[in-house]
Amino acid sequence: MIKIAVLGYGTVGSGVVEVLDKNCEIISKRVGEEIKVSHVLDLRDFPGDKVSEILVHDFEDILNDNEVRIVAEAMGGIEPAYTFAKKSIESGKHFCTSNKELVAKHGAELIEMAKAKNVNFMFEASVGGGIPVLRGIISSLRQENIEEITGILNGTTNYMMTRMDNEGIDFDDVLKDAQNKGYAERNPEADVEGYDACRKIAILSSLAFGKQVNYEDIHTEGITKISTLDMAYAKKMNRTVKLLGTSKKVGDKVSAMVAPFLVDAASPLYAVNDVFNAVLVKGNMLGDTMFYGAGAGKLPTASAVVADVIDIACNLDRNIPIIWDKDKLGLTEYENIVNDYFVRVSDEDGKAADKVYGAFDEVEVVDEPLDKEYAFIVRQMSEGDFNKLLAKIDNVLNVIRIK
Ligand code: HSE
Protein backbone atom coordinates (compact mmCIF):
# COMPACT_ATOMS: atom_id res chain seq x y z
CA MET A 1 0.00 0.00 0.00
CA ILE A 2 1.26 3.47 -0.94
CA LYS A 3 0.26 6.26 1.40
CA ILE A 4 -0.40 9.76 0.17
CA ALA A 5 -1.28 13.04 1.87
CA VAL A 6 -3.56 15.64 0.30
CA LEU A 7 -2.93 19.29 1.16
CA GLY A 8 -6.13 21.34 1.02
CA TYR A 9 -9.70 20.01 1.08
CA GLY A 10 -11.28 22.62 -1.17
CA THR A 11 -12.67 22.08 -4.65
CA VAL A 12 -9.65 20.27 -6.09
CA GLY A 13 -8.41 18.55 -2.89
CA SER A 14 -11.81 17.00 -2.16
CA GLY A 15 -11.93 15.98 -5.84
CA VAL A 16 -8.59 14.15 -5.46
CA VAL A 17 -9.97 12.18 -2.51
CA GLU A 18 -13.13 11.41 -4.52
CA VAL A 19 -11.26 10.25 -7.67
CA LEU A 20 -8.96 7.99 -5.64
CA ASP A 21 -11.96 6.58 -3.79
CA LYS A 22 -14.28 6.06 -6.77
CA ASN A 23 -11.62 4.63 -9.10
CA CYS A 24 -9.78 2.76 -6.36
CA GLU A 25 -10.09 -0.62 -8.02
CA ILE A 26 -8.84 0.36 -11.48
CA ILE A 27 -6.05 2.52 -10.01
CA SER A 28 -4.83 -0.34 -7.78
CA LYS A 29 -4.84 -2.67 -10.76
CA ARG A 30 -2.83 -0.23 -12.88
CA VAL A 31 -0.32 0.63 -10.16
CA GLY A 32 -0.08 -2.90 -8.83
CA GLU A 33 -0.67 -1.65 -5.30
CA GLU A 34 -3.38 0.21 -3.42
CA ILE A 35 -3.03 3.98 -3.06
CA LYS A 36 -4.45 5.17 0.22
CA VAL A 37 -5.04 8.73 1.38
CA SER A 38 -3.66 8.65 4.93
CA HIS A 39 -3.79 12.41 5.71
CA VAL A 40 -5.74 15.44 4.53
CA LEU A 41 -4.43 18.81 5.65
CA ASP A 42 -6.80 21.74 6.03
CA LEU A 43 -7.24 24.57 8.52
CA ARG A 44 -10.97 23.89 8.64
CA ASP A 45 -12.94 21.04 10.21
CA PHE A 46 -15.44 19.02 8.22
CA PRO A 47 -17.85 17.53 10.76
CA GLY A 48 -19.80 14.59 9.36
CA ASP A 49 -17.45 14.18 6.37
CA LYS A 50 -15.57 10.88 6.08
CA VAL A 51 -12.37 12.89 5.78
CA SER A 52 -12.63 13.91 9.48
CA GLU A 53 -10.95 10.63 10.45
CA ILE A 54 -7.76 11.50 8.55
CA LEU A 55 -7.89 15.30 8.83
CA VAL A 56 -4.83 17.07 10.27
CA HIS A 57 -4.20 20.77 10.87
CA ASP A 58 -0.42 20.63 11.17
CA PHE A 59 1.79 19.90 8.14
CA GLU A 60 4.48 18.46 10.45
CA ASP A 61 2.17 15.46 11.10
CA ILE A 62 2.56 14.59 7.42
CA LEU A 63 6.22 15.47 7.16
CA ASN A 64 7.14 13.32 10.15
CA ASP A 65 5.25 10.28 8.91
CA ASN A 66 7.80 8.23 6.99
CA GLU A 67 5.10 6.06 5.49
CA VAL A 68 3.74 9.01 3.46
CA ARG A 69 5.54 8.73 0.11
CA ILE A 70 3.54 11.22 -1.98
CA VAL A 71 2.19 14.66 -1.11
CA ALA A 72 -0.52 16.08 -3.41
CA GLU A 73 -1.06 19.81 -3.00
CA ALA A 74 -4.30 21.57 -3.96
CA MET A 75 -4.25 24.65 -1.75
CA GLY A 76 -3.31 27.29 -4.32
CA GLY A 77 -1.17 30.39 -3.72
CA ILE A 78 2.56 30.57 -3.18
CA GLU A 79 2.70 30.19 0.59
CA PRO A 80 2.57 27.92 2.46
CA ALA A 81 2.53 25.66 -0.63
CA TYR A 82 6.14 26.55 -1.55
CA THR A 83 7.45 25.79 1.95
CA PHE A 84 5.50 22.53 2.07
CA ALA A 85 6.83 21.52 -1.37
CA LYS A 86 10.45 22.18 -0.36
CA LYS A 87 10.10 20.40 3.00
CA SER A 88 8.41 17.40 1.37
CA ILE A 89 11.07 17.04 -1.32
CA GLU A 90 13.95 17.62 1.13
CA SER A 91 12.59 14.83 3.32
CA GLY A 92 12.44 12.46 0.32
CA LYS A 93 8.72 12.64 -0.39
CA HIS A 94 7.39 13.01 -3.93
CA PHE A 95 5.28 16.10 -4.53
CA CYS A 96 2.55 16.88 -7.08
CA THR A 97 0.43 19.96 -7.37
CA SER A 98 -2.39 21.69 -9.23
CA ASN A 99 -1.01 25.09 -8.16
CA LYS A 100 -0.02 27.18 -11.22
CA GLU A 101 1.21 30.14 -9.14
CA LEU A 102 3.67 27.83 -7.39
CA VAL A 103 4.76 26.09 -10.58
CA ALA A 104 5.13 29.27 -12.65
CA LYS A 105 7.27 30.91 -9.96
CA HIS A 106 9.27 28.04 -8.50
CA GLY A 107 8.90 25.19 -11.03
CA ALA A 108 12.52 25.15 -12.20
CA GLU A 109 13.88 25.17 -8.63
CA LEU A 110 11.51 22.42 -7.40
CA ILE A 111 12.29 20.24 -10.44
CA GLU A 112 16.01 20.62 -9.69
CA MET A 113 15.52 19.85 -5.98
CA ALA A 114 13.44 16.77 -6.79
CA LYS A 115 16.12 15.51 -9.19
CA ALA A 116 18.81 15.93 -6.52
CA LYS A 117 16.71 13.95 -4.04
CA ASN A 118 15.73 11.29 -6.60
CA VAL A 119 12.03 12.00 -6.14
CA ASN A 120 9.47 13.59 -8.48
CA PHE A 121 7.87 17.01 -8.67
CA MET A 122 4.86 16.87 -11.01
CA PHE A 123 2.26 19.45 -11.96
CA GLU A 124 -0.04 18.19 -14.71
CA ALA A 125 -3.14 19.88 -13.23
CA SER A 126 -1.52 23.32 -13.19
CA VAL A 127 -2.30 23.88 -16.89
CA GLY A 128 -5.47 22.94 -18.77
CA GLY A 129 -7.31 21.30 -15.83
CA GLY A 130 -7.82 17.66 -16.77
CA ILE A 131 -6.10 17.79 -20.17
CA PRO A 132 -2.90 15.68 -20.27
CA VAL A 133 -1.01 18.42 -22.11
CA LEU A 134 2.12 18.69 -19.94
CA ARG A 135 2.69 14.95 -20.04
CA GLY A 136 2.15 15.19 -23.79
CA ILE A 137 4.89 17.79 -24.12
CA ILE A 138 7.26 16.16 -21.62
CA SER A 139 7.04 12.64 -22.97
CA SER A 140 5.22 12.34 -26.29
CA LEU A 141 6.83 15.37 -27.97
CA ARG A 142 10.44 14.86 -26.77
CA GLN A 143 11.51 14.27 -30.38
CA GLU A 144 10.12 17.61 -31.58
CA ASN A 145 11.52 21.09 -31.81
CA ILE A 146 8.44 22.95 -30.65
CA GLU A 147 7.87 26.08 -32.72
CA GLU A 148 4.64 27.43 -31.26
CA ILE A 149 2.13 26.87 -28.48
CA THR A 150 -1.18 28.71 -28.57
CA GLY A 151 -4.01 27.89 -26.23
CA ILE A 152 -7.32 28.73 -24.67
CA LEU A 153 -6.00 28.33 -21.17
CA ASN A 154 -8.68 29.76 -18.91
CA GLY A 155 -11.99 27.96 -18.55
CA THR A 156 -13.78 30.81 -16.77
CA THR A 157 -13.18 33.40 -19.49
CA ASN A 158 -13.89 30.92 -22.27
CA TYR A 159 -17.17 30.03 -20.58
CA MET A 160 -17.97 33.73 -20.23
CA MET A 161 -17.12 34.62 -23.82
CA THR A 162 -19.06 31.67 -25.20
CA ARG A 163 -22.20 32.69 -23.29
CA MET A 164 -21.73 36.38 -24.08
CA ASP A 165 -21.39 35.48 -27.76
CA ASN A 166 -24.21 32.92 -27.98
CA GLU A 167 -26.73 34.39 -25.56
CA GLY A 168 -25.72 38.06 -25.24
CA ILE A 169 -25.50 37.64 -21.44
CA ASP A 170 -24.04 40.48 -19.40
CA PHE A 171 -20.38 40.20 -18.26
CA ASP A 172 -21.10 40.35 -14.48
CA ASP A 173 -23.93 37.80 -14.54
CA VAL A 174 -21.96 35.26 -16.50
CA LEU A 175 -18.93 35.73 -14.22
CA LYS A 176 -21.11 35.01 -11.17
CA ASP A 177 -22.38 31.88 -12.87
CA ALA A 178 -18.79 30.71 -13.57
CA GLN A 179 -17.90 31.33 -9.91
CA ASN A 180 -20.91 29.31 -8.73
CA LYS A 181 -19.82 26.43 -10.94
CA GLY A 182 -16.38 26.36 -9.26
CA TYR A 183 -14.41 27.43 -12.37
CA ALA A 184 -13.24 30.87 -11.29
CA GLU A 185 -10.26 31.77 -9.13
CA ARG A 186 -10.91 33.10 -5.61
CA ASN A 187 -10.06 36.50 -7.01
CA PRO A 188 -11.81 36.57 -10.40
CA GLU A 189 -9.43 39.32 -11.56
CA ALA A 190 -6.94 36.51 -12.10
CA ASP A 191 -9.27 35.05 -14.72
CA VAL A 192 -10.71 38.13 -16.44
CA GLU A 193 -7.46 40.14 -16.49
CA GLY A 194 -5.59 37.20 -18.04
CA TYR A 195 -3.17 36.59 -15.12
CA ASP A 196 -4.18 32.91 -14.80
CA ALA A 197 -3.69 32.30 -18.54
CA CYS A 198 -0.37 34.14 -18.31
CA ARG A 199 0.98 31.77 -15.65
CA LYS A 200 -0.15 28.82 -17.74
CA ILE A 201 1.52 30.00 -20.97
CA ALA A 202 4.66 30.70 -18.90
CA ILE A 203 4.63 27.09 -17.65
CA LEU A 204 3.93 25.68 -21.13
CA SER A 205 6.68 27.82 -22.68
CA SER A 206 9.21 26.85 -20.01
CA LEU A 207 8.52 23.17 -20.69
CA ALA A 208 8.37 23.48 -24.47
CA PHE A 209 11.55 25.55 -24.78
CA GLY A 210 13.36 24.10 -21.73
CA LYS A 211 14.21 27.38 -19.99
CA GLN A 212 12.60 29.66 -17.43
CA VAL A 213 9.93 32.04 -18.70
CA ASN A 214 8.96 34.58 -16.05
CA TYR A 215 5.25 35.36 -16.25
CA GLU A 216 5.99 38.97 -15.28
CA ASP A 217 7.79 39.35 -18.63
CA ILE A 218 4.75 38.32 -20.70
CA HIS A 219 2.54 41.14 -22.00
CA THR A 220 -0.94 40.35 -20.70
CA GLU A 221 -4.37 41.79 -21.48
CA GLY A 222 -7.70 40.40 -20.25
CA ILE A 223 -11.24 40.29 -21.63
CA THR A 224 -12.76 43.22 -19.72
CA LYS A 225 -12.87 45.45 -22.81
CA ILE A 226 -14.61 42.87 -25.01
CA SER A 227 -18.27 43.65 -25.66
CA THR A 228 -21.12 42.05 -27.54
CA LEU A 229 -20.45 44.67 -30.29
CA ASP A 230 -16.98 43.16 -30.82
CA MET A 231 -18.62 39.75 -30.97
CA ALA A 232 -20.97 41.08 -33.67
CA TYR A 233 -18.00 42.21 -35.81
CA ALA A 234 -16.30 38.88 -35.21
CA LYS A 235 -19.38 37.07 -36.55
CA LYS A 236 -19.43 39.27 -39.68
CA MET A 237 -15.83 38.25 -40.33
CA ASN A 238 -16.56 34.56 -39.69
CA ARG A 239 -14.52 34.69 -36.52
CA THR A 240 -15.00 34.70 -32.77
CA VAL A 241 -13.12 36.32 -29.89
CA LYS A 242 -11.03 34.06 -27.62
CA LEU A 243 -8.58 34.84 -24.83
CA LEU A 244 -5.37 33.19 -26.05
CA GLY A 245 -2.00 32.57 -24.49
CA THR A 246 0.53 32.28 -27.28
CA SER A 247 4.22 31.65 -27.46
CA LYS A 248 6.13 31.34 -30.72
CA LYS A 249 9.76 30.99 -31.82
CA VAL A 250 10.76 33.98 -33.95
CA GLY A 251 14.45 33.91 -34.90
CA ASP A 252 16.42 33.07 -31.78
CA LYS A 253 13.77 34.48 -29.43
CA VAL A 254 10.25 33.57 -28.33
CA SER A 255 7.33 35.98 -28.76
CA ALA A 256 4.83 35.44 -25.96
CA MET A 257 1.58 37.24 -25.16
CA VAL A 258 -1.82 36.83 -23.51
CA ALA A 259 -4.70 38.80 -25.05
CA PRO A 260 -8.10 38.44 -26.67
CA PHE A 261 -7.71 37.47 -30.33
CA LEU A 262 -10.09 37.16 -33.26
CA VAL A 263 -9.95 33.48 -34.19
CA ASP A 264 -10.98 32.32 -37.66
CA ALA A 265 -13.70 29.69 -38.09
CA ALA A 266 -11.13 27.50 -39.86
CA SER A 267 -8.96 27.30 -36.71
CA PRO A 268 -9.48 24.29 -34.42
CA LEU A 269 -9.51 26.79 -31.52
CA TYR A 270 -12.70 28.40 -32.90
CA ALA A 271 -14.89 25.49 -31.80
CA VAL A 272 -13.51 25.33 -28.26
CA ASN A 273 -16.42 26.56 -26.18
CA ASP A 274 -17.70 26.82 -22.61
CA VAL A 275 -15.27 25.76 -19.88
CA PHE A 276 -13.19 23.74 -22.32
CA ASN A 277 -9.52 24.55 -22.90
CA ALA A 278 -7.37 23.60 -25.85
CA VAL A 279 -3.66 23.80 -26.48
CA LEU A 280 -2.39 23.82 -30.04
CA VAL A 281 1.25 22.72 -30.27
CA LYS A 282 3.28 23.05 -33.45
CA GLY A 283 6.27 20.74 -33.73
CA ASN A 284 8.85 21.08 -36.49
CA MET A 285 8.31 17.45 -37.60
CA LEU A 286 4.80 16.73 -36.39
CA GLY A 287 3.09 19.95 -37.47
CA ASP A 288 0.00 20.91 -35.47
CA THR A 289 -1.49 18.80 -32.72
CA MET A 290 -4.23 19.91 -30.34
CA PHE A 291 -4.89 18.86 -26.76
CA TYR A 292 -8.52 19.48 -25.76
CA GLY A 293 -10.64 18.94 -22.67
CA ALA A 294 -12.16 20.33 -19.49
CA GLY A 295 -9.90 23.18 -18.38
CA ALA A 296 -11.35 23.75 -14.93
CA GLY A 297 -13.69 22.21 -12.38
CA LYS A 298 -13.37 19.81 -9.48
CA LEU A 299 -13.17 16.34 -10.99
CA PRO A 300 -11.27 17.11 -14.23
CA THR A 301 -8.55 18.97 -12.30
CA ALA A 302 -8.49 16.28 -9.60
CA SER A 303 -8.18 13.63 -12.31
CA ALA A 304 -4.97 15.29 -13.53
CA VAL A 305 -3.57 15.40 -9.97
CA VAL A 306 -4.33 11.69 -9.61
CA ALA A 307 -2.58 11.05 -12.96
CA ASP A 308 0.57 12.47 -11.34
CA VAL A 309 0.02 10.40 -8.17
CA ILE A 310 -0.18 7.26 -10.31
CA ASP A 311 2.88 8.17 -12.38
CA ILE A 312 4.80 8.77 -9.18
CA ALA A 313 3.49 5.56 -7.58
CA CYS A 314 4.86 3.66 -10.59
CA ASN A 315 8.23 5.44 -10.29
CA LEU A 316 8.80 5.62 -6.54
CA ASP A 317 12.52 4.90 -6.84
CA ARG A 318 13.44 7.13 -9.74
CA ASN A 319 13.23 10.71 -10.91
CA ILE A 320 11.44 11.13 -14.24
CA PRO A 321 13.50 13.82 -16.02
CA ILE A 322 11.82 17.12 -16.84
CA ILE A 323 13.87 19.70 -18.76
CA TRP A 324 13.17 23.19 -17.39
CA ASP A 325 16.39 25.07 -16.64
CA LYS A 326 16.60 28.04 -14.31
CA ASP A 327 18.29 30.12 -17.08
CA LYS A 328 15.93 32.66 -18.55
CA LEU A 329 14.55 32.13 -22.06
CA GLY A 330 15.11 35.09 -24.41
CA LEU A 331 11.73 36.71 -25.03
CA THR A 332 11.02 39.20 -27.81
CA GLU A 333 10.50 42.68 -26.30
CA TYR A 334 6.80 43.61 -26.32
CA GLU A 335 7.32 46.54 -28.76
CA ASN A 336 8.85 44.13 -31.32
CA ILE A 337 6.13 41.48 -31.26
CA VAL A 338 4.41 41.46 -34.66
CA ASN A 339 0.63 41.00 -34.98
CA ASP A 340 -2.40 41.73 -37.17
CA TYR A 341 -4.93 44.14 -35.60
CA PHE A 342 -8.68 44.77 -35.98
CA VAL A 343 -9.60 48.33 -35.02
CA ARG A 344 -13.00 49.95 -34.41
CA VAL A 345 -13.22 53.73 -34.42
CA SER A 346 -16.18 56.03 -33.86
CA ASP A 347 -17.46 57.80 -36.99
CA GLU A 348 -19.94 60.23 -35.45
CA ASP A 349 -18.52 63.09 -37.55
CA GLY A 350 -18.06 61.08 -40.78
CA LYS A 351 -14.33 61.85 -40.76
CA ALA A 352 -13.03 58.53 -39.41
CA ALA A 353 -11.63 57.37 -42.77
CA ASP A 354 -9.59 60.59 -43.16
CA LYS A 355 -8.18 60.23 -39.68
CA VAL A 356 -7.30 56.56 -40.24
CA TYR A 357 -5.51 57.29 -43.54
CA GLY A 358 -3.79 60.23 -41.86
CA ALA A 359 -2.20 57.75 -39.46
CA PHE A 360 -1.76 54.49 -41.41
CA ASP A 361 -0.43 54.10 -44.98
CA GLU A 362 -2.24 50.87 -45.62
CA VAL A 363 -5.32 49.30 -44.03
CA GLU A 364 -8.02 46.80 -45.03
CA VAL A 365 -11.45 48.36 -44.54
CA VAL A 366 -14.09 46.11 -42.91
CA ASP A 367 -17.37 46.18 -44.88
CA GLU A 368 -20.70 47.03 -43.27
CA PRO A 369 -19.52 48.45 -39.96
CA LEU A 370 -21.97 49.11 -37.11
CA ASP A 371 -23.87 52.40 -37.25
CA LYS A 372 -21.62 55.47 -36.81
CA GLU A 373 -18.47 53.32 -36.75
CA TYR A 374 -15.53 52.67 -39.07
CA ALA A 375 -13.55 49.45 -38.81
CA PHE A 376 -10.28 48.34 -40.38
CA ILE A 377 -7.48 45.78 -40.20
CA VAL A 378 -3.75 46.47 -40.04
CA ARG A 379 -1.51 43.58 -41.11
CA GLN A 380 1.89 42.48 -39.80
CA MET A 381 3.06 45.43 -37.76
CA SER A 382 5.05 45.48 -34.52
CA GLU A 383 3.16 46.41 -31.35
CA GLY A 384 5.45 49.42 -30.91
CA ASP A 385 4.86 50.83 -34.41
CA PHE A 386 1.14 50.08 -34.30
CA ASN A 387 0.62 51.85 -30.98
CA LYS A 388 2.57 54.91 -32.19
CA LEU A 389 0.36 55.22 -35.28
CA LEU A 390 -2.85 54.43 -33.41
CA ALA A 391 -2.10 57.25 -30.94
CA LYS A 392 -2.66 59.69 -33.84
CA ILE A 393 -6.36 58.71 -33.96
CA ASP A 394 -8.49 60.16 -31.16
CA ASN A 395 -11.69 58.15 -31.65
CA VAL A 396 -10.58 54.53 -31.15
CA LEU A 397 -13.27 52.30 -29.63
CA ASN A 398 -11.41 49.00 -29.39
CA VAL A 399 -8.50 47.01 -30.80
CA ILE A 400 -8.42 43.22 -31.03
CA ARG A 401 -5.49 41.27 -32.41
CA ILE A 402 -6.10 38.68 -35.08
CA LYS A 403 -4.74 35.12 -34.97
N1 HSE B 1 -9.79 29.65 -12.89
C1 HSE B 1 -9.15 28.68 -13.69
C2 HSE B 1 -9.86 28.60 -15.03
C3 HSE B 1 -9.16 27.35 -12.99
O1 HSE B 1 -10.97 29.12 -15.13
O2 HSE B 1 -9.33 28.05 -15.98
C4 HSE B 1 -8.31 26.32 -13.64
O3 HSE B 1 -6.95 26.69 -13.62
Side-chain angles (χ1 to χ4, degrees), residues 140-182:
S140 304
L141 299 180
R142 271 181 291 205
Q143 72 287 6
E144 289 292 324
N145 255 314
I146 293 175
E147 296 176 337
E148 179 176 351
I149 296 190
T150 294
I152 293 171
L153 302 172
N154 183 268
T156 302
T157 47
N158 205 43
Y159 177 80
M160 290 174 67
M161 303 210 75
T162 305
R163 296 204 60 196
M164 280 168 71
D165 194 10
N166 293 349
E167 300 162 53
I169 299 181
D170 179 66
F171 188 94
D172 293 330
D173 289 343
V174 77
L175 174 59
K176 263 187 220 128
D177 188 24
Q179 284 172 308
N180 288 340
K181 288 196 157 77

Side-chain angles (χ1 to χ4, degrees), residues 257-269:
M257 173 176 278
V258 173
F261 280 82
L262 283 162
V263 174
D264 193 89
S267 163
L269 292 170

Side-chain angles (χ1 to χ4, degrees), residues 100 126 129 153-157 183-185 191 196 200 277 295-296 301:
K100 57 240 155 185
S126 65
L153 302 172
N154 183 268
T156 302
T157 47
Y183 304 151
E185 296 300 301
D191 296 300
D196 176 73
K200 291 169 177 168
N277 282 192
T301 311

Side-chain angles (χ1 to χ4, degrees), residues 4 6 11-21 37 72 74 302 305-306 309:
I4 84 157
V6 176
T11 306
V12 178
S14 60
V16 170
V17 175
E18 188 174 332
V19 172
L20 283 166
D21 185 39
V37 181
V305 175
V306 174
V309 169

Side-chain angles (χ1 to χ4, degrees), residues 158-265:
N158 205 43
Y159 177 80
M160 290 174 67
M161 303 210 75
T162 305
R163 296 204 60 196
M164 280 168 71
D165 194 10
N166 293 349
E167 300 162 53
I169 299 181
D170 179 66
F171 188 94
D172 293 330
D173 289 343
V174 77
L175 174 59
K176 263 187 220 128
D177 188 24
Q179 284 172 308
N180 288 340
K181 288 196 157 77
Y183 304 151
E185 296 300 301
R186 258 172 294 183
N187 175 6
E189 248 199 359
D191 296 300
V192 298
E193 296 293 356
Y195 309 146
D196 176 73
C198 175
R199 279 162 178 81
K200 291 169 177 168
I201 194 69
I203 295 170
L204 285 167
S205 308
S206 300
L207 282 179
F209 303 117
K211 287 186 174 183
Q212 175 66 23
V213 174
N214 288 345
Y215 59 83
E216 297 94 334
D217 297 338
I218 298 177
H219 179 84
T220 298
E221 295 173 21
I223 60 160
T224 51
K225 288 189 195 143
I226 301 299
S227 69
T228 45
L229 299 181
D230 297 314
M231 300 283 191
Y233 273 105
K235 272 209 177 88
K236 273 184 211 289
M237 295 185 278
N238 207 19
R239 291 171 183 270
T240 189
V241 184
K242 296 285 185 197
L243 181 71
L244 299 182
T246 179
S247 177
K248 184 180 178 179
K249 257 190 201 160
V250 181
D252 58 358
K253 290 193 172 175
V254 168
S255 289
M257 173 176 278
V258 173
F261 280 82
L262 283 162
V263 174
D264 193 89

